[in-house]
Amino acid sequence: MSRLIVVSNRVNPPSEAGVGTSGGLAMALAAALREDRGIWFGWSGQTTESFTGQLSMQKVGGVTVALMDLDEQDRQEYYNGYANKTLWPLFHYRVDLAAYERSFSEGYQRVNVRFAETLLPLIEPDDLIWVQDYHLIPLASELRRRGVKNRIGFFLHIPWPARGIFTTLPRHEELARTLFDYDLVGFQTEDFRDAFADYVAHEGGGGVLGEEATAFGVTTRIGAFPIGIDYAEFVASIDSPQAEAAHARILASANGRKLIVGVDRLDYSKGLEDRFLAYEQFLADNPDQLERVFLLQIATPSRDEVDAYQDIRASLEAVTGRINGEYSTMDWVPIRYVHRSHRRDELAGVYRAADVGLVTPLRDGMNLVAKEFVAAQDGEDPGVLILSRFAGAADQMTEALIVNPFSREEVAEAIRQALAMPLEERVRRWRALSEGVRRDDVVAWREGFVARLEASRSDV
Ligand code: ADQ
């Protein structure tokens, strides 16, 4: 069996200490790499004064990790720049926030070359190389240019946007062309795959036939590989002392009130402000619910070197303050807003305590919080998931209450409906959802992608 090399911008396998704050994706990739004697290669997150190209090899939680440092200019132009100020907003339909600076695209290109050159000596002839996400789209081209013939796959964790959006990117053809140096390109959903096919047909002078996409005179394979959570690990974590403590603490402080929970990275794509305004609408429309319910929003600090993230933080704090100022009573605060990271097992306890999970991104590749929320519920008395139609997860999770996150009325009505939903309906919906979350877990995702990549050839 081939060895697997995973390449991602950041490398964060779980430490020996166990669950902690590592994400499900990190756990699943780490499991694959342990099984296959693989390597996980990427940026250490550290910067040096000038780029050295030195590799530091370590064993973390049984996984061989190969890390390189970047320099400060790389961080600004590649990471904060092209990745997070150009591609991220654009792929999430925020053309208004997307910045196009020549130094950003140069930095992006330069860092992709640095990834390729630093990775090159580690590659053995039979290795499968699996590149993760939008930071590294041109990596296969840079590896091919240096003679790498291995099978290389790419997975996009974020949406592939509609043609009219993607074509606002200066020199979009060059970026799209580099995807054709992969043997397999994976998207989260059929919708994103179709959007890519549409682009290819209209802008690449090609088309898609079954799994094969041809454009710019080259052919690759494409497919939808919806990512899941590490279901077994997540369910096991519900019985941990940390989960139980978090659960007990929330229930004690809830004082019999119903809990609506939101858990997100603090990012404009997650629709937090619209969510708060919809909740305010719910309070205004349902005066009988005042003091009987509260919203707990946990928001992890994220990318705070980027202006747009500082802006969203400030505006959320202002909206929270205004709503709480208007509705709070001596012993009730309608929104508890917590701006910090939590252990995954604590989060499991929080989800478990909730009556409603409010997952309303304006755009999202998948959204793993929706899946974690379902996995954490008590099947005898489950909470209700409200899910944005613009999360990739909505394709699979059709038994959730699916809403348009741009409509305050619709989200407010879904909150009312969720809180009033009879036990029998909650159980019926939850059973269907939980079956899907368990079946289509991260292991299935990883195995599905790797098997497909293994079966592909570079000369399609
Ligand atoms: P993200 O945009 O980061 O991921 P998401 O899929 O929701 O979004 O995953 C977030 C993860 O972070 C979840 O596992 C969640 O538990 C965790 N998390 C959130 N807030 C936290 C907190 N306060 N403390 C600790 N952990 C917290 C990108 C794409 C998504 C896609 C994933 C995986 O944007 O669309 O689903 O990759 O492909």
Side-chain angles (χ1 to χ4, degrees):
M1 193 177 167
S2 325
R3 193 175 70 149
L4 184 64
I5 299 183
V6 171
V7 188
S8 59
N9 172 54
R10 291 296 300 276
V11 175
N12 52 352
S15 68
E16 315 280 353
V19 281
T21 54
S22 283
L25 176 61
M27 309 279 284
L29 291 175
L33 294 167
R34 269 196 294 268
E35 281 166 24
D36 300 349
R37 322 171 279 115
I39 297 179
W40 192 346
F41 169 69
W43 177 31
S44 62
Q46 306 294 320
T47 54
T48 48
E49 210 169 291
S50 56
F51 180 70
T52 63
Q54 267 176 15
L55 265 179
S56 130
M57 308 284 290
Q58 300 164 17
K59 204 84 172 165
V60 184
V63 177
T64 305
V65 166
L67 299 172
M68 66 169 184
D69 298 338
L70 294 175
D71 65 31
E72 195 46 39
Q73 192 180 354
D74 294 337
R75 183 206 286 278
Q76 292 311 338
E77 295 176 353
Y78 149 80
Y79 180 66
N80 287 332
Y82 202 75
N84 287 336
K85 287 186 187 158
T86 308
L87 293 182
W88 177 273
L90 186 75
F91 280 48
H92 290 88
Y93 288 70
R94 292 299 302 268
V95 178
D96 57 319
L97 293 179
Y100 308 109
E101 290 187 21
R102 187 180 293 172
S103 65
F104 290 177
S105 47
E106 286 169 0
Y108 186 67
Q109 202 51 46
R110 180 179 68 244
V111 169
N112 272 272
V113 168
R114 289 181 167 174
F115 265 78
E117 289 183 341
T118 314
L119 176 60
L120 204 56
L122 296 179
I123 301 173
E124 293 171 9
D126 266 351
D127 290 346
L128 287 178
I129 303 171
W130 188 9
V131 178
Q132 310 286 324
D133 230 358
Y134 61 103
H135 312 84
L136 299 171
I137 295 173
L139 184 58
S141 301
E142 295 306 329
L143 289 170
R144 300 280 183 232
R145 203 164 278 156
R146 287 160 182 78
V148 173
K149 300 266 185 284
N150 300 52
R151 278 156 297 176
I152 314 181
F154 177 79
F155 185 77
L156 184 68
H157 289 260
I158 64 177
W160 182 273
R163 175 161 53 96
I165 299 282
F166 185 64
T167 49
T168 64
L169 179 71
R171 297 192 283 142
H172 53 84
E173 306 90 336
E174 282 173 34
L175 188 69
R177 165 67 187 81
T178 63
L179 282 171
F180 287 80
D181 279 322
Y182 290 96
D183 298 290
L184 175 64
V185 176
F187 301 94
Q188 297 272 25
T189 68
E190 294 290 343
D191 266 6
F192 302 149
R193 178 199 169 280
D194 291 349
F196 181 72
D198 180 54
Y199 173 82
V200 157
H202 287 86
E203 304 283 334
V208 172
L209 199 63
E211 288 191 312
E212 290 191 3
T214 304
F216 315 106
V218 237
T219 298
T220 185
R221 283 198 170 78
I222 61 173
F225 299 86
I227 198 169
I229 60 167
D230 188 339
Y231 182 84
E233 177 267 336
F234 199 79
V235 166
S237 77
I238 296 167
D239 294 326
S240 68
Q242 284 81 2
E244 282 176 4
H247 182 255
R249 198 167 153 198
I250 290 193
L251 287 188
S253 78
N255 212 0
R257 294 176 172 124
K258 289 200 168 172
L259 165 60
I260 304 171
V261 77
V263 173
D264 307 76
R265 264 189 318 101
L266 184 54
D267 191 293
Y268 45 79
S269 66
K270 303 293 182 186
L272 297 179
E273 188 165 338
D274 297 85
R275 182 181 307 170
F276 286 10
L277 295 174
Y279 174 66
E280 181 185 32
Q281 182 81 50
F282 161 78
L283 295 176
D285 292 349
N286 299 277
D288 61 312
Q289 293 295 312
L290 297 177
E291 300 196 62
R292 302 177 95 169
V293 57
F294 67 104
L295 169 63
L296 170 64
Q297 176 65 53
I298 297 180
T300 328
S302 181
R303 305 179 192 168
D304 38 22
E305 290 177 26
V306 177
D307 289 349
Y309 289 76
Q310 293 164 12
D311 295 347
I312 181 200
R313 182 177 170 189
S315 62
L316 260 189
E317 282 168 4
V319 171
T320 309
R322 185 179 60 69
I323 297 173
N324 281 344
E326 193 164 327
Y327 284 97
S328 292
T329 59
M330 298 250 271
D331 64 349
W332 175 62
V333 178
I335 303 180
R336 293 188 200 172
Y337 170 62
V338 185
H339 182 230
R340 71 176 181 86
S341 190
H342 287 265
R343 290 173 56 101
R344 290 172 52 70
D345 42 17
E346 274 179 353
L347 285 183
V350 173
Y351 294 134
R352 177 77 162 213
D355 298 281
V356 179
L358 199 47
V359 182
T360 55
L362 306 178
R363 293 281 161 190
D364 219 332
M366 175 56 62
N367 197 296
L368 296 178
V369 169
K371 297 187 174 186
E372 291 168 355
F373 176 81
V374 166
Q377 296 308 304
D378 171 3
E380 312 256 290
D381 184 17
V384 178
L385 176 64
I386 298 178
L387 180 60
S388 162
R389 59 177 295 159
F390 300 119
D395 265 24
Q396 298 168 296
M397 305 183 82
T398 50
E399 294 296 323
L401 294 180
I402 304 291
V403 294
N404 171 5
F406 294 94
S407 165
R408 271 178 226 171
E409 284 72 22
E410 206 176 308
V411 177
E413 171 53 21
I415 294 174
R416 192 202 59 72
Q417 195 189 334
L419 289 167
M421 192 179 284
L423 177 65
E424 196 192 333
E425 184 179 352
R426 282 192 278 127
V427 170
R428 182 177 55 72
R429 287 178 182 267
W430 176 82
R431 280 201 182 135
L433 287 169
S434 116
E435 175 56 25
V437 172
R438 191 182 56 74
R439 185 190 55 229
D440 303 324
D441 70 350
V442 76
V443 179
W445 169 75
R446 181 192 83 207
E447 289 180 350
F449 188 95
V450 171
R452 197 69 205 81
L453 178 61
E454 224 160 13
S456 73
R457 311 212 69 82
S458 44
D459 56 356
V460 278

